[in-house]
Amino acid sequence: LTVLMPNATEAKAVSAPPLAPEELAEADLFMWRCTLVPRLPAKLRALVTLHQAGAAAAEGMGSCRTLASACGAITSSVGLRKLVGLVLAVGNAMNQGTSKGDAVGFRLDALLKLRSTKAGDGKTTLLDYVTTTLLRQDEAVARGVAAALAEADSGRRILLAELRSRSQQLRADVRAAQMEADREEADVARAEAEAEASSPSAQAAAVSEE
């Protein structure tokens, strides 16, 4: 129904039809009836939000839990910490005597260079060397790295910016639905007050007071 709502031009064209309602075509009659309901598009959007907000919130919370679990697997892994330390040591050895030597850390995007940096044979990459060295030093650590990466893989597909955007949109939709609910409640109270004021008993009471 939200898709079928008449636009401003259509609503204006059918708001005061020259024909009687029963003489209108079915599509025009539908649009004319839509114009009789105050703020119908806003009401429909509020109903859609009411129907979908719970599932959308649950999905967002599930994504947050998955992302938190993935981050926890990475930050708490002893094996990954040793692997990163080994990468730092290798990088410092390669950059010894340059301005990049003796580094105490590196950016995560530097890890992408491990596969593009190759040895003199043109085949062995720095990644090959680091992983082989790690396996030789401690096989348990290597298994821990593999387990941490496997656990974190589910969070790889979750884009934080997209999650934030969906959360902001959901909050905006809920606020709009609440505002429409407040307006509708005020409309109902006003209509009830007007109906009570125009009732015969109210009119009789007003006449007796005069």
Side-chain angles (χ1 to χ4, degrees):
L1 284 177
T2 57
V3 178
L4 297 176
M5 287 298 96
N7 57 36
T9 302
E10 293 168 337
K12 183 178 180 180
V14 299
S15 59
L19 301 176
E22 60 271 14
E23 296 177 331
L24 292 173
E26 186 174 356
D28 294 332
L29 181 60
F30 168 79
M31 288 192 290
W32 176 70
R33 285 173 173 166
C34 288
T35 63
L36 301 180
V37 182
R39 304 184 310 277
L40 180 57
K43 286 181 171 64
L44 290 175
R45 287 192 297 269
L47 288 173
V48 170
T49 298
L50 182 64
H51 180 69
Q52 297 180 347
E59 181 183 358
M61 289 299 296
S63 296
C64 287
R65 285 191 292 267
T66 299
L67 195 58
S69 176
C71 291
I74 293 295
T75 57
S76 63
S77 172
V78 176
L80 277 175
R81 191 176 297 113
K82 289 187 176 182
L83 175 60
V84 171
L86 182 59
V87 171
L88 179 61
V90 171
N92 280 334
M94 295 178 62
N95 294 320
Q96 188 175 7
T98 70
S99 60
K100 297 181 179 180
D102 298 324
V104 295
F106 57 86
R107 296 173 61 87
L108 290 179
D109 55 8
L111 294 174
L112 299 175
K113 299 178 182 178
L114 294 179
R115 301 184 69 175
S116 58
T117 303
K118 296 184 179 181
D121 60 5
K123 296 180 180 179
T124 305
T125 67
L126 184 56
L127 178 62
D128 295 329
Y129 173 76
V130 170
T131 53
T132 302
T133 303
L134 183 63
L135 283 171
R136 189 184 303 118
Q137 287 182 348
D138 194 334
E139 185 176 348
V141 169
R143 287 198 298 269
V145 171
L149 293 178
E151 186 176 349
D153 185 65
S154 57
R156 179 173 56 88
R157 302 174 184 85
I158 299 175
L159 299 179
L160 189 58
E162 181 180 340
L163 185 61
R164 185 184 297 111
S165 176
R166 293 206 309 266
S167 174
Q168 292 172 346
Q169 184 61 54
L170 179 59
R171 285 197 294 268
D173 290 344
V174 170
R175 284 195 299 269
Q178 183 61 58
M179 291 176 60
E180 181 54 36
D182 293 341
R183 293 192 188 101
E184 183 65 15
E185 186 176 356
D187 289 348
V188 171
R190 189 182 306 110
E192 290 177 346
E194 292 174 353
E196 184 177 353
S198 62
S199 64
S201 59
Q203 293 176 353
V207 170
S208 62
E209 289 178 2
E210 292 177 357

